[in-house]
Amino acid sequence: MYSESRSEKLHNEDAFYSGNTIWIVVDGASALCGGDLMKTGSDASWLSHAICDARQALADCASSIEDNLKSVLRALRDQFPACRDAMIPSCALAIARVNSDRRALEYFVLGDCSLMIETDKDVLVFSDPAVGTFDGKVIERMQQLVLEDGGSFLAKRQDQRIKDMLLSNRMMKNNPKGGYSIADLNADWFSSVQGELPLENVKRFALYSDGFDQLQSFSTMDNRAFLIHLFESPDTVIDELFVFQDEDAVCSRLPRLKKRDDTTLVLVDQTDFCS
């Protein structure tokens, strides 16, 4: 088993838990307005870490991961100051859980965190592409503005037209009419990626935030080659990603909204959950 999370910010808005029966990666996102109502430095960081701290509740196999998560979020809502919805943080997440009674690996994914599972037959990837689709449209618009107005790609992030587009995208949170599902304190997402696999068919798996997902895009590896690489060099792959990002600091090779995001990786081998 291997796990690591890095951030260049004062408060890492990614969080993770790596245990014996449950594994969690959470990528927090700041609210549209405000960002530190809990007085911890970052409400997004508070939310992601609070979800990981609730691992015992999430690991209770008497209920589904989704039902447990909703209960956890509603309890956290009671701790959060009364405010407008625009001031509530949100997060993407990936959770894998061993259900011993069912002899199954259960999984639940919201947003653009990823769960990559190697089975006895294939390598499966579970993630929700909706958030990435919204980001992709922003990136396309930034590229268009460079062609029209000149200047650098990353500088367009500060263009008011891009800021307005990002704001409009964030307002589509948990909107079933063309929006995207994400976890927040209202626990009212409209879709998710969830299911289970027979435990005997699972060889190993990886959970990671979208900040780490960039490594596969940089490396252009297919899913199987990428997973093999992660397990062969677990303690160097984040360094490898950072080198790619430093070499592409202007985001020309891999267009993205920032040079580097919070980065989290959890790797779990069969011996970690079948011992």
Side-chain angles (χ1 to χ4, degrees), residues 55-103:
R55 52 189 174 267
Q56 288 186 330
L58 293 170
D60 182 3
C61 291
S63 299
S64 68
I65 298 174
E66 181 172 37
D67 287 344
N68 288 345
L69 178 60
K70 287 185 174 182
S71 295
V72 166
L73 290 168
R74 288 165 182 152
L76 292 174
R77 183 69 178 91
D78 292 339
Q79 301 175 30
F80 203 76
C83 64
R84 294 177 291 115
D85 186 63
M87 303 179 75
I88 295 175
S90 59
C91 63
L93 51 83
I95 301 174
R97 182 179 76 179
V98 170
N99 187 322
S100 298
D101 291 339
R102 297 177 58 83
R103 296 297 301 163

Side-chain angles (χ1 to χ4, degrees), residues 131-143:
V131 175
T133 298
F134 278 94
D135 287 346
K137 292 178 180 178
V138 174
I139 289 169
E140 288 177 3
R141 181 58 174 149
M142 290 169 65
Q143 292 172 318

Side-chain angles (χ1 to χ4, degrees), residues 174-225:
N174 293 327
N175 184 339
K177 297 181 179 180
Y180 61 92
S181 288
I182 208 76
D184 66 11
L185 300 178
N186 295 316
D188 61 354
W189 52 84
F190 60 89
S191 65
S192 62
V193 179
Q194 59 181 302
E196 65 177 49
L197 295 168
L199 203 57
E200 63 196 30
N201 295 346
V202 177
K203 297 178 65 176
R204 54 189 179 179
F205 56 90
L207 305 92
Y208 45 91
S209 61
D210 70 318
F212 181 79
D213 184 47
Q214 292 177 16
L215 179 59
Q216 187 172 11
S217 299
F218 274 117
S219 66
T220 67
M221 296 181 187
D222 63 24
N223 292 337
R224 184 171 296 280

Side-chain angles (χ1 to χ4, degrees), residues 241-252:
L241 170 61
F242 280 21
V243 169
F244 276 126
Q245 292 169 333
D246 287 337
E247 292 175 346
D248 186 40
V250 297
C251 303
S252 58

